[in-house]
Amino acid sequence: MVLFVVEANEMMNAHDSRVVGEIQKHGVSIILVANKWDLVLEKDTSTLREYERSFRNFFPYLHWVP
């Protein structure tokens, strides 16, 4: 199992996509973790939902990942 940690206050990038793609290619279980959530500015009740939508758009092939 892999815990793939990204910084919540930074945009995901091509390197993140390549690493996650390699993890998926090898059939390893994966959980995506957003670290440094406290540094995300101007949070409101929909921020988490928007962030999750962004994750899912960036990694569409991981629709099953929590």
Side-chain angles (χ1 to χ4, degrees):
M1 173 179 281
V2 171
L3 296 175
F4 186 74
V5 181
V6 297
E7 292 188 16
N9 62 328
E10 294 183 12
M11 296 298 295
M12 290 159 280
N13 57 48
H15 179 69
D16 295 330
S17 184
R18 280 192 304 275
V19 171
V20 170
E22 284 296 312
I23 293 167
Q24 182 196 23
K25 185 170 79 174
H26 292 285
V28 177
S29 299
I30 183 171
I31 297 174
L32 298 174
V33 179
N35 190 29
K36 298 185 180 181
W37 187 251
D38 56 317
L39 298 180
V40 175
L41 302 176
E42 301 181 24
K43 291 183 287 253
D44 61 25
T45 57
S46 65
T47 305
L48 180 57
R49 209 170 24 256
E50 291 168 12
Y51 193 80
E52 182 179 356
R53 189 175 307 122
S54 172
F55 246 71
R56 297 200 181 282
N57 287 336
F58 197 78
F59 302 112
Y61 47 89
L62 296 179
H63 57 87
W64 48 270
V65 172

